[in-house]
Amino acid sequence: MAFKSAVVMVAALLFSSMADAHIILFTPEPFDKAGLNTSPLVGDGSDFPCKLRPTVYDLPAGTDRSTINVMKIGDQQPLSFIGSAVHGGGSCQVSLTTDPKPSNDTKWQVIHSIMGGCPANVSGNLPDDPNGHGASTFNYSIPDGIAPGQYTLAWTWFNRVGNREMYMNCAPINVVAASKKRDAPSSDVPVTSISKRDFPSLFVANINGCMTKAYFDVRFPNPGTSVEFDGTPSNLQPAGQPACVDGPGPGTSGSSNGGDPGPTKTPTYTSNVGMTTVPTVAPSPPPSSSSGAPGVFVQYASPISNPPSPSTVASSPTTQPSSDSFSLTSGVLSGSCSPEGQWNCIGGTSFQRCASGTWSAAQPMAAGTTCTDNA
């Protein structure tokens, strides 16, 4: 496939812009804000959790840990972002751990799930602005059952469009009691047990061999009791389909529930004010006959369980898209691809590229330029 040099340059600049403008957590304020980049977790899971790096849990000089991100139990808290590459939205979770510096052995428990429209309910990306605040702002709360004290909060995101990725930012938080009680502990007290009730474990995929399906908002197998739907209903993964497929992942391999039965209470479904109107009950399309692991959860052991080596990852023929590639609109490809770096020209007006073994999202050509498919 050949492109005019000018077109290739435009495409390269566009991809570079996309890479530099991913989003990061704005509120609550994350750890090491100055050193936090916008990239997803590494595909082999080596920087899980929280984008592990030497400065990952640093705080600004002179900052008192007990004064950052103070949250009263039951009060609404904003979840907001900086950046513009929202990759067609997707699904997000907010989870907590008592570990002040989480590691591979950390157990995360989910307190809120957003299925669809997170971090924005759009078809592609927002206008390019690495410092933009155009993504949606969501609300969550620290639920009853969480004891006052210090926790680490994680925001995780599975994008709908583009490479199969998992994003994760972490923040220190201080939970305080909903009302004054004589014996209520202060927020600077470390806690060792997260709750007086059950919360589901964190869903993990795309870094452990279990891959989510492109062009769908992930339907978490166990979202917990606090759930909202903010995307386009038709984009939500049909009920009954596995949330990710292939690879054993860190959960119980082949388990019918991802290795975590979770709470039995009926979820509370909400939708964000100002977002696209969505059902206030869970969509329930007919169950799919698709097979595979129903979801991957962090349990009590390391969330990264022997990531597959490159030699074990299925590859497609060098001259044709892999068998899991499919066309959503004429000429658009998704799924795995080979060889690395090849271009797909779509009708002369848009293009995509084989990057990191997966077809990127289709992008429009710059005004006044076209591409040519010479395959």
Side-chain angles (χ1 to χ4, degrees):
M1 183 175 296
F3 281 77
K4 297 177 181 179
S5 60
V7 173
V8 173
M9 182 177 295
V10 169
L13 289 173
L14 178 57
F15 273 90
S16 174
S17 173
M18 290 169 58
D20 291 340
H22 289 130
I23 63 170
I24 60 173
L25 196 61
F26 181 64
T27 56
E29 182 177 347
F31 283 111
D32 189 29
K33 186 175 181 180
L36 180 63
N37 64 42
T38 62
S39 61
L41 294 174
V42 178
D44 64 4
S46 57
D47 60 350
F48 181 97
C50 306
K51 294 181 64 64
L52 288 177
R53 57 196 184 279
T55 59
V56 61
Y57 299 120
D58 283 2
L59 299 175
T63 300
D64 184 345
R65 169 70 169 77
S66 65
T67 64
I68 299 178
N69 300 323
V70 176
M71 301 182 182
K72 183 180 291 187
I73 294 171
D75 284 3
Q76 286 198 337
Q77 307 295 336
L79 183 72
S80 62
F81 312 96
I82 300 176
S84 56
V86 296
H87 297 307
S91 296
C92 303
Q93 290 189 304
V94 178
S95 57
L96 299 179
T97 180
T98 59
D99 292 353
K101 296 182 178 181
S103 69
N104 281 356
D105 297 322
T106 291
K107 181 182 179 182
W108 298 90
Q109 292 183 287
V110 175
I111 61 170
H112 189 62
S113 293
I114 305 165
M115 294 198 283
C118 182
N121 187 28
V122 294
S123 60
N125 291 325
L126 298 170
D128 185 29
D129 183 358
N131 298 310
H133 291 270
S136 302
T137 296
F138 303 89
N139 292 303
Y140 64 97
S141 63
I142 304 299
D144 291 336
I146 300 295
Q150 295 183 354
Y151 295 83
T152 298
L153 177 147
W155 160 72
T156 49
W157 165 41
F158 299 90
N159 52 303
R160 186 175 66 87
V161 176
N163 296 335
R164 301 296 78 211
E165 297 168 332
M166 177 178 179
Y167 293 77
M168 185 177 194
N169 291 172
C170 296
I173 69 167
N174 293 276
V175 175
V176 298
S179 59
K180 291 288 185 180
K181 294 182 180 179
R182 182 177 299 177
D183 58 349
S186 63
S187 65
D188 60 355
V189 175
V191 288
T192 57
S193 178
I194 206 167
S195 69
K196 302 172 184 174
R197 61 181 244 204
D198 291 329
F199 294 95
S201 297
L202 177 66
F203 176 79
V204 176
N206 299 336
I207 61 171
N208 51 16
C210 199
M211 311 303 287
T212 59
K213 189 174 183 179
Y215 298 98
F216 285 94
D217 295 321
V218 171
R219 183 190 290 269
F220 297 119
N222 194 347
T225 60
S226 177
V227 183
E228 64 179 281
F229 296 89
D230 290 309
T232 302
S234 60
N235 288 337
L236 184 64
Q237 189 174 27
Q241 287 190 358
C244 64
V245 294
D246 299 327
T252 303
S253 179
S255 168
S256 62
N257 58 12
D260 185 9
T264 57
K265 292 178 62 178
T266 301
T268 300
Y269 298 109
T270 61
S271 60
N272 245 359
V273 176
M275 301 281 291
T276 299
T277 302
V278 295
T280 56
V281 296
S284 54
S288 166
S289 61
S290 300
S291 61
V296 181
F297 293 85
V298 175
Q299 296 273 324
Y300 298 92
S302 168
I304 305 304
S305 177
N306 297 324
S309 62
S311 62
T312 64
V313 178
S315 60
S316 58
T318 58
T319 58
Q320 296 293 334
S322 65
S323 59
D324 64 347
S325 294
F326 61 93
S327 175
L328 296 177
T329 57
S330 179
V332 179
L333 302 175
S334 71
S336 58
C337 59
S338 181
E340 186 78 6
Q342 73 166 307
W343 299 89
N344 178 34
C345 176
I346 307 166
T349 59
S350 58
F351 66 93
Q352 57 186 154
R353 192 179 190 186
C354 181
S356 300
T358 305
W359 285 111
S360 70
Q363 298 292 324
M365 298 298 297
T369 65
T370 60
C371 62
T372 302
D373 187 350
N374 289 340

